[in-house]
Amino acid sequence: MLTGLDHLVVTVTDIGRAVDFYSRVLGLDVRYRDAQRVDLMLGDTALRLHQTDTDIEPISATPTPGSLDLCLRCQLPLDEFKQHLDVLGIEVELGPVARQGANGAIESVYLRDPDGNLLEICRPAR
């Protein structure tokens, strides 16, 4: 019946700040749909940014910046990814640590975006 995820809406306080973080820090490609609608591309899936003070409808019942807990796959070894974060001055909250992903064992590091959303960056465990 269902085949995958097309997009996930991320509620943010400032689209420009979120675009900078997700493109510069995480390397996501940016697609501007219009001034209020921005997609951050993960392959054929998008993180769609909605700013809190816009009137895009429909929206979730309680759109709240900082309430997301998201795990993203990384192609780099996590030690290299952590070095990239260090160069940019981005704090790693935890990791690398062993976790269980959707398809088996993973190794993860945790950080936060500018709105406080928890981002888990993972790779398959060795």
Side-chain angles (χ1 to χ4, degrees), residues 33-75:
R33 299 173 62 228
D34 60 39
Q36 295 180 338
R37 292 185 173 105
V38 179
D39 289 345
L40 303 165
M41 301 308 298
L42 287 162
D44 65 352
T45 302
L47 296 181
R48 181 158 294 162
L49 301 179
H50 283 193
Q51 192 164 299
T52 52
D53 61 356
T54 59
D55 57 359
I56 297 171
E57 292 290 336
I59 59 174
S60 64
T62 313
T64 307
S67 64
L68 187 66
D69 183 340
L70 184 63
C71 183
L72 303 169
R73 293 184 193 118
C74 183
Q75 65 185 13

Side-chain angles (χ1 to χ4, degrees), residues 103-121:
N103 296 301
I106 57 174
E107 197 176 41
S108 299
V109 296
Y110 292 83
L111 61 140
R112 296 204 181 259
D113 77 0
D115 286 295
N117 291 304
L118 182 62
L119 303 176
E120 178 181 356
I121 309 301

